[in-house]
Structures are given as structure tokens and as C-alpha cells.
Amino acid sequence: MSFLRYIGKNRLTITFVLLGLLIFLFIIIPLAKMVFSSVSDTETLWETLLDPEVSGAIGLTLFAALISTIVGFFLGIPLAYILARNNFPGKRLVEGLIDVPIVVPHTAAGIALLFVFGRNFFLGEAFEKVGITFVDSFAGIVIAMIFVSIPFLIDSAKEGFKKVDVRLEKVARTLGASPWQAFFRITFPLAWRSILTGNIMMWARGISEFGAVIILAYHPMIAPVLVYERFETYGLDYARPVAVLLILVSVIVFIVLRTLAYRGDKS
Amino acid sequence: MIEVNDLSVDLGEFVLKNITLAIKEGEYFIILGPTGAGKTVLLESIAGLYPIKSGEIWLRGKEVTGVEPEKRKISIVYQDHVLFPHLSVRKNIVFGLKMNKVTAAEQDNRVNWVAELLGIGNLLHRKPDTLSGGEKQKVALARAIATRPELLLVDEPLSALDPETRETVQQELRRLHQALGITILHVTHDFEEAIALGSRIAVIGEGSLMQVGTPEEIFRHPNSEFVARFAMTRNVFLGKATKQSNGDTVFQVDGTEFVIAGETEGTYHASIRPEEILISTEPIRSSARNCFPGTITQIQDKGSTLYITVNAPPELSCLVTRHSFEELELRKGKRIYVTFKATSVHLFD
């Protein structure tokens, strides 16, 4: 009786929980199924990990995503701050354009990048003169990753800066701080958590990028491309262990970083 | 000390214009104005934190109009403290000292000095979010004066506090001003706060400066309806002053004639402060020239005092203590007498 009454009283919660559960299982089951069915076959997994092509690809993915995040940090944070603090005509347009990489199909993004950073455009030409080429190179992987993942960093950092009361900067100024000092001693530390979250998101997004990278740089081979190649050439059984490793590594690193960021927030 | 010449500031919705102020060394100067009059922006403009449209600002004989805020030696304390939330109280205070490249030993001296001055020595290791409102305000003051500014700006420092804390912080401000001899520019919307602290008051409203004077001058001789209404003179009337054949000057309003001091004639505003009107159940025989019967139309309870609205006509607002309120058994609809002196009626344009 009381159980029925409970259901009667909480119909909305129960309905939403059931629907939520559905989508949660949809995310979890494929990942879990693949990971667990491979983990039981430890030998193959171990062999795959020791395959220099696989470990090299995973390492390259993590490293390239890290480099793009670092570049994104130095170029994205200033823009995020400007957008958080200033109003100017066309600001909405700028904000909208920054988010465009999220909605553009990533293969199309790769083509667009190839156009600009290829040899037939002055930018690509200019970089080539200083010895940087973007086709089938590490630099190509990095710019592809930056392009598709920078919106996450900029948006997150911008929200973080907005939450810092502008009068904190004003007070700092009256106390003798230059605009730079006010930024680095007050605003930046206070927005740090959002910036860190943005960086983690950007890094994670970089690791998972496939479409834009494969257009610019099939080689050197990042892990998502390797998964694709093995699937195309040898079939599901060969692609799966690599995919599992990639998922495991990404998830572990993601969890570790999130935990660190969370702890930083608590203290 | 500080001079503001013909300052104009664009506030988006309206413009604050032609602000001219001269504040003396060591003065406690109040800017009084209603909420939304642009008081905070005026302070920020003086500190160099808000771009001005035109005008000049001079500090101790030097023009600082285009000077960066960090070089002006003007500190600001905001209504809601605005302490650096990630820094301890001590680090909040030290911040400005570090920015001014004060030596470590001197930093310690200054921290001890302001901590003692404001009685916050036991809070130095705490984070701002663990402090009470009054404590935060004291820390904000400590942080502002630790750098030894030439001018201290305080923006509604008492408004966010509960009445008891407000009293303490108000005393603290008065004490600081006396102990340090520092020039303070304080903005508020609270007339009583202005009277209590200010050596001089500037009233702003409707985008410009309405009147500058001592509290007494503002209080007794408001120069405009705006100032009068703001100065809590609740009785402001528009009427006609005429000289009578018997030599008296009277002010006619709603068919009633107030006897007034002076010999002015013409159409004017008149104000009478509510506390200068006596209420009695019988007509009073006294030197006060004005005594009228009236009916109580409204009673506003303010705790220890009450505002009684009496329709003579016109409607007069009178301030009585709770004691006399009870003794006279005042209630709505009761017929009573109001009495006030001719000199209590103040005429202005």
C-alpha cells in the first residue's frame, strides 16, 4: 500500500530515473562489453600493448593532444578573458564562430585545414619555409586537434572568468596592482578550476579526434586511425584490442585528472 | 585635497554631468543620493576605474585625470567588501603592500598596525568566507588603509550590515577618520548615516550635483524639492508666500495659512521637518505661531518612534515618540492639534 502510494507520489522522479537509466546503459554496455570480453583474453591484450605500433600510436595520441592543449592554453585563455570582460559589437558573432568547430563534421574541418595549411596557401607556404609542414606530420595532428577541441577550453575558461567579480580586479588596481598583476594574482587563480576543467576537456577531446586528423595526417598514425586501419584491413578481431586499450588509457587518465581537479577545488 | 572639476560620466542609461567638488584635507565628505544615482560610478571614476567623458580630477595639486588607478594612491572599499576570496585575511592586507614593494619587515609592521587599529588581530589567518559581515568590512577597511592612501573611498559601507553591526562599523569609520586624519569620501543613500559621519555632504540626484553643504545646511536649508524630500523632510509643499497687513508673512497651502519667518513673497516650496511638529489633544498656548486642528489619517510605526500623518489640510507628517503616542492615545480618525514655530517652515525654490 505504502509502496503504491510512494509510486503515486513520485511518478515524475520514477519516470525520469527509468529513462535516465536507459541512456546510461546505452553508454555503458558497449564500452563494458568490449572491455570485459577483451580483458578476459589478457594474453592478446598484453601482446597488443607490446606491439610497438600500438604503444607508439597511443603515446603519440596522448602527446599530440597534450601539445595541442598547451598551445590552446596560451592562445585560448587570453581570448576567453577578453570575451568574459568586454562587450563589443560583434561579440556574439565571435562567440558563435568559436563554437563552430563543435558542429562542423570533422572530416570537413580537416579538409578546411588542409586548404589553409597545405602547400597551396600562403600560410602553409610560410610555415614550410621555417621547416614546418602539416601534411602527414606531427604538426598536422596537433593543428587538427586544436581546431576541434579549442572551443571546450575557451568556453570553460570564459565562464570561469565571468564568475570572478570584476571589482576584485578593481580593488587590486587601487591597491597598486598593474592590470597584469591583477590578472595573474587575482583573476587567474580564482578562475583556475574552470580553466583546468577546460584543459582536461580539450585534452580528452583531442585524444578522441579522428576525422580531422586522418585528412591531414594519416601518418604518423594516432591510435584512433590505427583502430580504423586495423578494422579495415584485418577486421573486427584485430581492431578490438587496440580499441580497448585506447578506451582504458583515456578513461584512466580522464578519471585521474578529474579527481585531481576536484581535489584542487575542495581545498 | 581632491578637486573634481566639471566631471561627466556616461552611465549608459543616463549621464552624470557637471560634477564639481572640492574636498579638503582630512575631511569626512559624504555623497548622498538615491539608489541608481550613479554614486558608485562616481567613486570609481575618481579612483580611475571607470572611464570619464570629460572633466578633471586633481589630487593634492596634481592632476590625476588620466593616471592609472594603481598610481593614484586612492583606496576603495565596496559595500559588499570584495575581499580576495582565495587569500587569507593577512594576505588580503599584504596584497597592496607587496604591489607597492614594501619590505617584508615593513609589511609585518603595517599588518600589525592595521590589525590593532581595527581589532582584527585574531582573524589574520582566516579565509574571507568564514568571516561575519562586520568582520569582512573591517578587513576591507584594513586592506584599504594599509597602503596609506591619500584618499579613502567608501561605497555604502554600512548598507549590507544588520543594524547592530552597522552601528559598530559606523563608529569604527569615525574613529579611523579621527585617528588617522585621513580624507574620506563616503557615498550613501542613508541620510542619517550622512548626518552622523559627514563634515560636509553633497547631494546628487537626477544626474547632477544638487547641493553641497554641512549636514546642518542640507538639513535646515535644502535648496530644492529633491534635496528636501531626500533629507527626510517629509513635509514639502508648494504654495504662495504673502505679506499680511499685520506684518506677518504667511504661506498659503490647501486653504491653510502657515505663519513663516522672513518677508519673502511669491510661489515657493516649503518644508517642515516632522520632528519639529508637536501633537496635542488640546490647542497649545505657546510662542509657536502655528497651531491647527486636524485628523489623523495614517500611522507609520518605526519602532521607538512613529510617523503620524495629520490632515489639517494639508497633510502633515509628524514624528512622535512611542511614549507620547501611547499617552495621547493617538489613533486613526482622532481629532488633534498640530503646533510648530514660524521658523520651522523653510522656504525654497
Side-chain angles (χ1 to χ4, degrees), chain A residues 10 162-163 167 232:
Chain A
N10 295 280
K162 274 189 186 167
K163 276 187 227 146
R167 292 176 309 161
E232 283 286 282

Side-chain angles (χ1 to χ4, degrees), chain B residues 106-272:
Chain B
E106 178 61 14
Q107 284 177 19
D108 286 342
N109 287 343
R110 296 266 191 104
V111 170
N112 293 338
W113 168 65
V114 288
E116 198 182 327
L117 196 63
L118 286 148
I120 52 167
N122 56 336
L123 306 176
L124 289 176
H125 63 280
R126 301 255 295 268
K127 278 281 180 75
D129 59 3
T130 67
L131 304 177
S132 72
E135 288 170 339
K136 282 181 189 166
Q137 201 56 282
K138 285 185 190 175
V139 173
L141 279 168
R143 180 178 64 180
I145 58 175
T147 55
R148 300 231 172 97
E150 295 184 357
L151 173 67
L152 178 62
L153 306 174
V154 283
D155 179 11
E156 299 269 8
L158 308 174
S159 307
L161 306 173
D162 60 82
E164 222 166 285
T165 319
R166 181 181 309 187
E167 187 58 37
T168 342
V169 176
Q170 183 167 312
Q171 281 166 12
E172 209 65 57
L173 279 167
R174 189 183 293 124
R175 208 170 54 76
L176 267 186
H177 176 243
Q178 282 163 0
L180 303 177
I182 189 172
T183 315
I184 299 182
L185 176 54
H186 172 142
V187 304
T188 180
H189 67 272
D190 187 318
F191 192 75
E192 286 171 23
E193 191 175 312
I195 299 272
L197 288 167
S199 37
R200 276 194 307 150
I201 298 173
V203 183
I204 66 167
E206 294 164 1
S208 61
L209 205 64
M210 311 294 283
Q211 189 175 359
V212 182
T214 62
E216 181 70 13
E217 280 162 5
I218 304 274
F219 198 54
R220 299 279 168 199
H221 307 290
N223 68 355
S224 60
E225 187 182 355
F226 180 88
V227 176
R229 282 196 188 282
F230 203 77
M232 264 178 47
T233 315
R234 293 172 171 231
N235 300 308
V236 180
F237 311 104
L238 185 63
K240 219 172 150 190
T242 41
K243 253 207 289 210
Q244 305 293 94
S245 50
N246 63 1
D248 284 348
T249 309
V250 298
F251 183 80
Q252 292 170 305
V253 53
D254 293 348
T256 305
E257 292 183 343
F258 300 159
V259 179
I260 59 173
E263 303 198 323
T264 329
E265 286 198 290
T267 305
Y268 283 102
H269 284 101
S271 72
I272 309 165

Side-chain angles (χ1 to χ4, degrees), chain A residues 164-190 267, chain B residues 44 47 49-50 68-70 74-76 78 80 82-87 92 95-96 98-100 127 143-144 147:
Chain A
V164 179
D165 188 342
V166 67
R167 292 176 309 161
L168 286 165
E169 291 172 20
K170 291 184 171 179
V171 168
R173 295 292 303 280
T174 63
L175 293 172
S178 70
W180 294 92
Q181 286 170 318
F183 178 79
F184 283 112
R185 287 174 176 267
I186 304 298
T187 320
F188 189 82
L190 287 171
S267 76
Chain B
E44 289 193 346
L49 299 167
Y50 195 95
E68 289 110 332
E70 61 266 32
I74 298 177
S75 287
I76 190 163
Y78 284 106
D80 45 351
V82 197
L83 298 174
F84 303 133
H86 59 310
L87 302 179
N92 262 277
F95 182 87
K98 274 191 180 154
M99 294 299 108
N100 285 295
K127 278 281 180 75
R143 180 178 64 180
T147 55

